[in-house]
Amino acid sequence: MSIDCASLPRPPSAAPAPPSSFRGQFGNPTGWLGWVVGQAMAVKNASRSRFVLEQLDVSPAHDVLEIGFGPGADLARLSDRARSLSGVDHSASMVRMASRRVKRADLRIGSACALPFADASFDRVLSINSVQFWESLPLGLCEVRRVLKPGGLAVIAIQPRNIGATAQTTAEWGERLEQTFGAVGFDSIRRTLSTEAPVPTVAVAAHRP
Ligand SMILES: C[S@@+](CC[C@H](N)C(=O)[O-])C[C@H]1O[C@@H](n2cnc3c(N)ncnc32)[C@H](O)[C@@H]1O
């Protein structure tokens, strides 16, 4: 299967709807509850981050973008490893929180499906536990391809946390990510699992040709 990025319908550019439940806060942290959720995400996920950042293989010559950075803990972990750091998140609360944590990053409010960055801007793009909220996975990965420099590497990771998620849910996400990366024109696609509790994390790495 191959997907023509130019022919995909674009989602409306309106701000995302405010969350209507506590779980919804993870997809769009908002208000004081969003602040609490952001603080929790910042302290909870260190070992998952270590695993994902290993797959990203960042060097001091790299320009790096994170999509859905939440509280900015992973940008902070990358701060002395890359030449430049940028990020996009559709939650204004998370942009404020991350801006306090990471000083030298270009952090913008925006959508994974309409990245507010020029073509071929980055050597590395990462996203952790955000892709499940994107309006369209194919469109998001087309955008990742557009902003990557030729030869650049993307790593998209997910540890499914929805009610009832199991190792099978992780495996299905790995399959879906791998297929969609391939369909929008990435190559050298590699899937890696880590045995995080309560369910494994999958990281799918892919190169822009
Ligand atoms: C569960 S949090 C994960 C935060 C962080 N990556 C981590 O692992 O701790 C998901 C983040 O993705 C952001 N997000 C969800 N959908 C998005 C989209 N379509 N575009 C940009 N950001 C999005 C949310 O606002 C939130 O900050």
Side-chain angles (χ1 to χ4, degrees), residues 90-159:
H90 67 185
S91 160
S93 304
M94 291 300 98
V95 174
R96 276 194 299 276
M97 184 179 280
S99 301
R100 284 197 284 270
R101 184 168 270 115
V102 197
K103 293 295 173 220
R104 61 171 198 101
D106 175 4
L107 303 183
R108 303 188 189 180
I109 298 177
S111 167
C113 295
L115 292 174
F117 296 99
D119 297 359
S121 296
F122 301 104
D123 303 282
R124 297 287 184 267
V125 174
L126 81 147
S127 187
I128 305 179
N129 259 16
S130 176
V131 74
Q132 65 272 46
F133 305 110
W134 295 1
E135 300 89 316
S136 155
L137 179 60
L139 188 53
L141 295 189
C142 284
E143 280 292 275
V144 171
R145 187 177 191 277
R146 179 183 67 74
V147 301
L148 269 174
K149 300 175 190 176
L153 176 73
V155 175
I156 308 287
I158 178 161
Q159 182 187 34

Side-chain angles (χ1 to χ4, degrees), residues 26-29 41 45 48 66-71 74 88-91 94 110-112 128-130 133-135:
F26 290 86
N28 179 23
M41 291 192 286
N45 300 321
R48 185 180 74 199
E66 182 172 8
I67 304 173
F69 49 75
D74 293 314
V88 62
D89 197 297
H90 67 185
S91 160
M94 291 300 98
S111 167
I128 305 179
N129 259 16
S130 176
F133 305 110
W134 295 1
E135 300 89 316

Side-chain angles (χ1 to χ4, degrees), residues 12 28 36 53 58 63 78 123 130 137 153 184 190 203:
N28 179 23
V36 173
L53 297 185
V58 174
D63 298 310
L78 286 166
D123 303 282
S130 176
L137 179 60
L153 176 73
V184 303
R190 183 169 42 87

